[in-house]
């Protein structure tokens, strides 16, 4: 009894000590009186602030930055102290100038590992460099001309046929789901030489896609739950997560096994799977099947999710802004015709207003909205703010895109002209417009995604007009995920454009 009492008193004393030491921040963090930020609760910091926010971490970071300035701080248990850097100069320092001094860190590696493993999105150092170097072979000019364009054209024709059927039937369709099907089919053919048949059977659910979407939602939830590794052991979501990860792992392994057994496909020197299967690491060894599987799944998230989500947000904004849609259609009609209804490789870059509209959608709805890096060694940002080893640096591209200090007073307004009228034009400063990431980790597939989106958008809008079905929330909510999908289906009615709208106007110019 005396021992139990002593233990209880000791624990109570420890608790009081911790409450006094960490009165407004998470346990294990040092005070930063030199930085502004919302005060937290003892031991758990700002965890409840995030959970009280209906839109989670992204909106919490945005509201924190709007209230406390371009740099602010908050704390979370398990993550420690987090310092936001909502200005281009600081982001350039972290992602370029001192690139080696900031890494994803063990905590985030563990958080993402059961889905992304050691793929390019979840690794650093030599492994990342090797994967990036080999991946770059996919996106060379010759591949664009010989492989990528042909697949985009083929899949675009399938999309047009599906839309034609919906226009004739008058039924509503989920445009976001259709974009996911398009990008998965296209990327599967280009990268792995396989057809997922998502557009061939547009009414049938795609098990791989369902599993992939579920696991990403769970990864998003983990960012807001520092105790996920414990709670997932006992929850229904945790059990389902383990099942879906097993399915994805088996799916990736099957791609590798099928390739090893396909002697004809193994001869294709441009296939990404072949590139990695034939590659050797610094020690001279070939990649294991586990490593190849991780690479496959990372490629799919890059090729499927990001472009499909960008297209979804772009189409919503066009429906919400008819005058912008009218200008885009004028550009389309000036470059496409009944004889040439799909853009050729040579003229894709001429769709400048369309590309600007895509970039504007990505500015406000970046497909990777939130990023974190761990500081390895004490550092000082260009604005004089010290970052201490072990502290996290966070930038939220979703928040940056809405920040008037970065984009001007019309930051929250959808305005493609900002990319046409600025000094940077259609090559914006990557540390200001970080939707394709930035620095050495800038997206290798930026031109790939842009071509895919522009080809599909222009072909579709030349023939069809979309109308949101009543009763949907505008603007749509985003889902909790590591990327930025819409939370609910984007339900639309499809209409054929009238003859006057689709006629080629030889002398039309954008206003």
């Amino acid at each position: 009894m005396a021992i139990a009492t002593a233990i209880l008193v000791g624990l109570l004393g420890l608790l009081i000590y911790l409450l006094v030491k960490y009165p407004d921040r998470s346990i294990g963090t040092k005070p930063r009186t030199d930085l502004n930020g919302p005060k937290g609760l003892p031991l758990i910091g700002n965890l409840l602030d995030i959970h009280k926010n209906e839109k989670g971490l992204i909106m919490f970071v945005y509201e924190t930055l709007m209230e406390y300035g371009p740099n602010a701080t908050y704390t979370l248990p398990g993550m420690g102290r987090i310092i936001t850097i909502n200005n281009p100069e600081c982001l350039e320092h972290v992602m370029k100038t001192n690139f080696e001094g900031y890494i994803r860190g063990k905590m985030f590696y563990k958080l993402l590992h059961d889905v992304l493993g050691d793929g390019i999105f979840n690794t650093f150092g030599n492994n990342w460099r090797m994967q990036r170097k080999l991946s770059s072979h996919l996106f060379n000019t010759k591949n664009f001309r010989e492989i990528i364009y042909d697949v985009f054209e083929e899949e675009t024709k399938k999309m047009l046929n599906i839309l034609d059927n919906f226009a004739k039937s008058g039924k509503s369709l989920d445009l976001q789901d259709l974009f996911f099907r398009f990008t998965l089919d296209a990327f599967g053919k280009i990268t792995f030489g396989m057809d997922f048949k998502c557009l061939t059977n547009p009414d049938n659910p795609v098990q791989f896609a369902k599993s992939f979407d579920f696991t990403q939602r769970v990864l998003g939830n983990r960012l807001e739950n520092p105790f996920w590794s414990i709670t997932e052991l006992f929850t229904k979501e945790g059990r389902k997560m383990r099942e879906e990860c097993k399915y994805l792992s088996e799916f990736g392994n099957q791609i590798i096994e099928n390739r090893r057994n396909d002697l004809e496909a193994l001869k294709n020197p441009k296939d990404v799977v072949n590139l990695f299967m034939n590659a050797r690491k610094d020690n001279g060894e070939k990649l294991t099947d586990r490593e190849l599987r991780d690479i496959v799944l990372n490629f799919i998230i890059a090729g499927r999710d990001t472009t499909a989500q960008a297209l979804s947000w772009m189409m919503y904004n066009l429906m919400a802004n008819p005058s912008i849609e009218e200008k885009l259609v004028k550009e389309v009609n000036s470059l496409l015709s009944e004889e040439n209804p799909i853009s050729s490789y040579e003229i894709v870059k001429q769709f400048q207003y369309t590309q600007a509209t895509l970039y504007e959608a990505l500015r406000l709805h970046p497909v990777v909205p939130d990023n974190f890096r761990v500081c390895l060694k004490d550092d000082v940002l260009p604005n004089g703010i010290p970052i201490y080893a072990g502290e996290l640096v966070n930038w939220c591209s979703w928040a940056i895109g809405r920040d008037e200090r970065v984009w001007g007073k019309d930051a929250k307004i959808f305005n493609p002209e900002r990319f046409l009228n600025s000094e940077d034009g259609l090559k914006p400063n990557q540390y200001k417009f970080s939707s394709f990431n930035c620095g050495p980790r800038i997206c290798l597939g930026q031109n790939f995604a842009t071509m895919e989106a522009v080809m599909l958008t222009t072909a579709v809008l030349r023939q069809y007009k979309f109308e949101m079905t009543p009763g949907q929330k505008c603007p749509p909510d985003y889902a909790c995920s590591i990327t930025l999908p819409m939370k609910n289906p984007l339900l639309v009615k499809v209409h054929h454009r009238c003859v006057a709208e689709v006629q080629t106007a030889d002398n039309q110019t954008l206003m």
Side-chain angles (χ1 to χ4, degrees):
M1 187 71 174
I3 295 176
T5 302
I7 292 174
L8 185 62
V9 170
L11 290 174
L12 182 61
L14 176 62
L15 178 61
I16 293 172
Y17 167 77
L18 291 174
L19 290 172
V20 171
K21 186 172 182 179
Y22 304 104
D24 56 2
R25 61 189 191 275
S26 65
I27 188 170
T29 57
K30 297 178 180 179
R32 287 296 303 268
T33 56
D34 56 322
L35 293 175
N36 294 322
K39 287 187 178 298
L41 294 174
L43 308 184
I44 63 170
N46 301 101
L47 183 63
L48 290 186
D49 293 333
I50 292 172
H51 284 274
K52 285 189 296 184
N53 196 307
E54 288 184 3
K55 295 186 177 181
L57 179 62
I58 295 172
M59 184 59 74
F60 167 77
V61 173
Y62 170 73
E63 292 174 350
T64 297
L65 287 164
M66 293 306 102
E67 180 175 354
Y68 294 99
N71 297 107
T73 187
Y74 58 99
T75 65
L76 293 173
M79 296 176 72
R81 181 166 296 284
I82 303 161
I83 300 166
T84 60
I85 52 168
N86 217 43
N87 60 68
E89 296 76 21
C90 290
L91 182 54
E92 182 175 5
H93 176 84
V94 169
M95 290 300 292
K96 179 184 175 183
T97 308
N98 192 15
F99 177 71
E100 300 293 343
Y102 293 87
I103 64 171
R104 189 180 295 277
K106 292 181 179 179
M107 183 193 66
F108 290 101
Y109 174 82
K110 181 181 177 182
L111 185 150
L112 301 171
H113 187 264
D114 45 4
V115 178
L116 300 181
D118 290 306
I120 194 168
F121 289 140
N122 201 35
T123 189
F124 273 75
N126 292 333
N127 188 26
W128 168 76
R129 291 186 184 90
M130 180 271 293
Q131 291 188 43
R132 186 172 175 89
K133 182 179 179 180
L134 289 173
S135 302
S136 66
H137 293 295
L138 172 65
F139 303 109
N140 61 46
T141 302
K142 189 175 182 182
N143 272 5
F144 270 103
R145 288 183 176 275
E146 295 182 359
I147 302 174
I148 295 174
Y149 171 80
D150 288 345
V151 173
F152 287 164
E153 183 179 40
E154 177 186 357
E155 298 305 313
T156 297
K157 288 177 180 177
K158 291 181 183 179
M159 281 281 288
L160 294 174
N161 289 334
I162 293 171
L163 293 173
D164 188 59
N165 291 334
F166 275 97
K168 290 175 180 176
S169 70
K171 295 179 180 178
S172 294
L173 70 89
D174 179 359
L175 198 54
Q176 178 173 236
D177 176 68
L178 198 57
F179 287 144
F180 275 122
R181 291 172 178 271
F182 172 85
T183 55
L184 185 54
D185 274 1
F187 201 73
K189 286 183 178 180
I190 291 167
T191 314
F192 314 125
M194 66 176 292
D195 188 354
F196 284 88
K197 299 185 183 301
C198 302
L199 293 178
T200 305
N201 304 294
D203 296 326
N204 295 340
V206 180
Q207 181 57 47
F208 175 85
K210 289 174 62 179
S211 298
F212 216 60
D213 291 341
F214 177 82
T215 58
Q216 288 193 70
R217 286 196 297 273
V218 173
L219 295 183
N221 290 335
R222 287 178 178 180
L223 283 172
E224 301 177 8
N225 176 17
F227 313 109
W228 65 267
S229 60
I230 298 173
T231 58
E232 284 184 19
L233 292 174
F234 307 101
T235 62
K236 182 179 179 180
E237 180 179 80
R239 288 192 297 273
K240 184 172 174 58
M241 179 66 168
R242 290 187 286 276
E243 293 171 0
E244 300 295 7
C245 285
K246 181 181 178 182
Y247 168 81
L248 292 177
S249 179
E250 292 172 350
F251 188 94
N253 287 333
Q254 192 63 53
I255 290 177
I256 304 303
E257 183 179 344
N258 291 345
R259 178 52 50 83
R260 292 197 189 281
N261 295 330
D262 189 339
L263 298 180
E264 193 61 34
L266 282 170
K267 296 176 183 177
N268 182 1
K270 297 167 185 166
D271 186 281
V272 169
V273 178
N274 290 351
L275 280 172
F276 282 100
M277 286 177 69
N278 294 323
R280 293 187 181 274
K281 295 181 280 189
D282 291 343
N283 61 9
E285 295 179 355
K286 286 192 172 184
L287 276 70
T288 65
D289 283 1
R290 172 68 181 265
E291 290 169 324
L292 290 169
R293 182 211 66 186
D294 292 345
I295 289 167
V296 165
L297 294 179
N298 276 250
F299 260 83
I300 292 175
I301 193 174
R304 169 189 178 255
D305 292 39
T306 54
T307 308
Q309 291 167 19
L311 284 165
S312 301
W313 291 111
M314 178 182 178
M315 285 297 185
Y316 162 72
N317 279 288
L318 286 172
M319 288 185 281
N321 296 275
S323 62
I324 294 174
E325 181 185 8
E326 182 181 353
K327 292 179 181 181
L328 193 152
V329 172
K330 281 185 178 182
E331 179 178 75
V332 170
N333 289 337
S334 71
L335 293 167
L336 299 181
S337 65
E338 195 68 32
E339 294 75 26
N340 299 294
I342 299 176
S343 172
S344 67
Y345 176 84
E346 287 71 25
I347 69 170
V348 165
K349 291 184 179 179
Q350 295 183 42
F351 288 100
Q352 295 205 353
Y353 192 85
T354 306
Q355 185 175 333
T357 305
L358 172 67
Y359 280 9
E360 182 68 347
L362 284 168
R363 181 183 71 85
L364 289 170
H365 313 281
V367 290
V368 182
D370 224 2
N371 284 275
F372 297 85
R373 292 291 183 271
V374 178
C375 179
L376 291 178
K377 185 179 178 181
D378 291 358
D379 189 28
V380 178
L381 299 178
N383 58 5
I385 292 176
I387 308 291
Y388 301 111
E391 292 182 332
L392 271 66
V393 164
N394 161 228
W395 71 98
C396 180
S397 298
W398 194 91
I400 293 174
R402 288 163 168 74
D403 194 334
E404 295 182 3
R405 292 165 295 204
V406 178
W407 288 97
K409 292 185 177 180
D410 66 342
K412 300 179 186 66
I413 297 174
F414 189 81
N415 175 27
E417 271 87 353
R418 75 175 73 248
F419 286 101
L420 297 173
N421 299 332
S422 70
E423 292 181 2
D424 296 326
L426 289 173
K427 291 186 177 180
N429 181 331
Q430 59 186 271
Y431 305 102
K432 176 181 178 182
F433 176 67
S434 57
S435 297
F436 290 103
N437 214 328
C438 50
R441 293 188 82 106
I442 194 168
C443 177
L444 283 170
Q446 179 174 346
N447 292 333
F448 176 100
T450 300
M451 173 187 276
E452 183 178 24
V454 168
M455 279 187 67
L456 181 63
T457 300
T458 53
V460 164
L461 291 180
R462 194 190 76 83
Q463 296 187 43
Y464 303 103
K465 185 176 182 66
F466 299 104
E467 173 193 5
M468 287 189 70
T469 56
Q472 298 180 79
K473 185 174 181 180
C474 297
D477 286 331
Y478 54 78
C480 179
S481 177
I482 57 172
T483 54
L484 197 74
M486 293 179 177
K487 184 177 182 179
N488 300 306
L490 181 60
L491 299 176
V492 301
K493 294 272 190 175
V494 187
H495 306 283
H496 287 104
R497 290 196 183 274
C498 64
V499 176
E501 287 181 291
V502 300
Q503 280 182 331
T504 300
D506 294 332
N507 297 317
Q508 282 179 331
T509 56
L510 294 174
M511 297 300 290

